[in-house]
Every structure is written in C-alpha cells, then in structure tokens.
Amino acid sequence: MRQNAVIFIVALLVLISATSCADAKVRQYKVKVVNEYPHDVTSYTQGLFFQGDYMVETTGQWGESTLRKVDLATGKAVMRLDFNRKYFVEGSAELDGNIYILTWKNKVAFMYDASTFEYKSTWSYPREGWGLTTDGRSLIASDGSSRLYFMDKNFKQQKVLNVTIDGRPVNMLNELEWIDGKIWANVYMTDLILIIDPSDGKVEATVDCTGLLPPSLRDKDTDVLNGIAFNPENGKIYLTGKYWKRLYEIETVAK
C-alpha cells in the first residue's frame, strides 16, 4: 500500500504542477509558521476542531482511540474519553451541540454531547470513515477516495461531491476542515492540503506544508501531516500530524 501511495503522490504532484501552468485559477501556497504549541506525542490525530477556547481532537489506532478536549497552550487534555479497543476512531465534527465521530472500518459512527462528552447515539455507517467536517448544516465526510459525502445529522446522504484538478479526480482525501466557505482537505501520505469549492468539487488552491515539522522534532514514531483546525472567532488556522510533538498556527503565503 505504501508503494502505491508513493506512486500516487508523485503523479499528483506532476498533475498539480502541470495544472498550475495551464490553469491560473489553481493557486499555490506554502505555509508560514506564526506560533507553535505543544502537542501530545501519543495522539494519532484524526479529527481536530475548535470549541470555544479549546480544541477538540479525536485520535486513532486500535486500543488508543480517544476523544479529547485540549488546552491549546499546554497541549494537555482537560477532558478525555477512551474508546473500546475494538474501535479505530477517525474524523470528528461538532454540529448543533453534538460531536459526531467516524470509525475507520467498524462501519459505525457515534454522537456525543459536545459539552459533557455524554454518549448519545450510534449509527450504522456504510463505508470507511476518514475525515469529517461541517458547513453548519451538513456533515461532510471523506473515505480515502476522491469523493466527499454530504449527510444530514442522521447520516442520511444528501449528495456526493467529486473532487478534481483539471477534471481529474484527486484520491486519498483525508482530514477535512470548513474554512471561510471552502473545504480544506489533507491528501493522506503527503504534505499537501487542497482548498476545494464545495459547489463543484474543483480544487481552487493547494497548500504545500513541506518541512512544517522539522527533523529535530521527528523520531521513529512520527507519522504524517493530519490535523486541520480553524478558529472562527479569530480566523486562525492550526495544523498538526499523527504523533507530532507540535501544533502550529500558520498563515498561507503565495509560492
């Protein structure tokens, strides 16, 4: 699988480079670090979003999956819920006072009270769960393909969005975040984030996060970029990754 992922990544980068020359509408950005914060290195980050002054994070892996409310300044969890080891938790989002959580291969999704983490409901889920976000009306989910699924609060499908660059599908969409009317999507196994028009699925811009976590903060367990959070109260954007030691407040600048 990793070899196939490398082949896909090379093809994607070639496509983006060619598209950028042919189509000026696809903008290219890189990241500038504004601030950095501690991040729990035991967190295999899957979902990340703001709830008031705190961040809410879901973490994955069998036997390690959690739901956490995290203090930004310290990186420490002020509330934590541990899942049964049979669940591999994935993306998460808050909608109308509830936190919705996907699982990878368990074919179920959960709902918890956003304030108390009290369990509320379980749904059958028809596909692999990867990333999850919301536009304030619908839940928007990825499954590792080029498709994004819009669903209501009971996980009833409303529409499917095919994500493309220059008319070609972009696979391995993972962690999602709704930012200023656009969908930001991390491409799994890469340092690339796509900014997607939710009306037609076209990629409007790319964000290159290469080198965000320096070699000095990496070890044998450090995994890939995965974790996008937007604070609507101040417009700040934060990025982290699986088993990363830092979380970064970033700005985008033109390449």
Side-chain angles (χ1 to χ4, degrees), residues 36 212-219 222 243-246 248:
E36 62 179 82
L212 180 59
L213 185 72
S216 61
L217 292 175
R218 294 177 176 270
D219 57 35
T222 305
Y243 297 148
W244 281 25
K245 297 176 181 178
R246 295 290 188 274
Y248 296 95

Side-chain angles (χ1 to χ4, degrees), residues 89-110:
V89 163
E90 284 277 349
S92 54
E94 181 182 351
L95 181 60
D96 293 342
N98 295 308
I99 296 175
Y100 294 83
I101 300 174
L102 301 181
T103 58
W104 181 28
K105 292 186 174 183
N106 298 99
K107 297 293 182 72
V108 296
F110 299 111

Side-chain angles (χ1 to χ4, degrees), residues 62-213:
W62 308 110
E64 298 179 13
S65 292
T66 65
L67 167 63
R68 310 178 185 195
K69 181 179 287 187
V70 178
D71 177 66
L72 177 64
T74 65
K76 296 185 180 299
V78 298
M79 289 178 62
R80 173 170 170 155
L81 185 152
D82 294 277
F83 287 82
N84 186 293
R85 65 181 305 105
K86 70 180 180 180
Y87 295 114
F88 192 120
V89 163
E90 284 277 349
S92 54
E94 181 182 351
L95 181 60
D96 293 342
N98 295 308
I99 296 175
Y100 294 83
I101 300 174
L102 301 181
T103 58
W104 181 28
K105 292 186 174 183
N106 298 99
K107 297 293 182 72
V108 296
F110 299 111
M111 183 175 76
Y112 290 85
D113 182 273
S115 298
T116 64
F117 285 6
E118 179 183 358
Y119 167 80
K120 297 185 77 171
S121 188
T122 299
W123 279 272
S124 171
Y125 194 73
R127 64 188 70 88
E128 286 190 4
W130 285 47
L132 188 66
T133 190
T134 178
D135 59 4
R137 300 179 302 276
S138 302
L139 296 168
I140 306 168
S142 63
D143 67 349
S145 70
S146 62
R147 295 178 294 275
L148 297 178
Y149 301 86
F150 285 66
M151 303 168 290
D152 67 16
K153 291 181 287 186
N154 296 310
F155 290 95
K156 181 179 179 181
Q157 186 170 297
Q158 299 168 324
K159 72 172 184 177
V160 178
L161 189 70
N162 293 299
V163 177
T164 61
I165 293 181
D166 196 26
R168 302 180 187 180
V170 184
N171 292 306
M172 298 181 77
L173 302 179
N174 194 11
E175 155 73 339
L176 306 174
E177 185 79 341
W178 182 268
I179 302 178
D180 291 336
K182 307 296 180 182
I183 301 169
W184 287 42
N186 162 243
V187 181
Y188 183 53
M189 295 287 294
T190 78
D191 291 319
L192 194 68
I193 293 172
L194 308 179
I195 301 177
I196 303 161
D197 186 333
S199 67
D200 57 15
K202 292 181 179 178
V203 174
E204 295 186 347
T206 63
V207 182
D208 184 357
C209 303
T210 302
L212 180 59
L213 185 72

Side-chain angles (χ1 to χ4, degrees), residues 48-56 72 94 229-232 238:
L48 196 67
F49 62 90
F50 265 88
Q51 184 188 77
D53 295 329
Y54 293 95
M55 302 189 82
V56 175
L72 177 64
E94 181 182 351
F230 174 68
N231 188 340
Y238 300 81

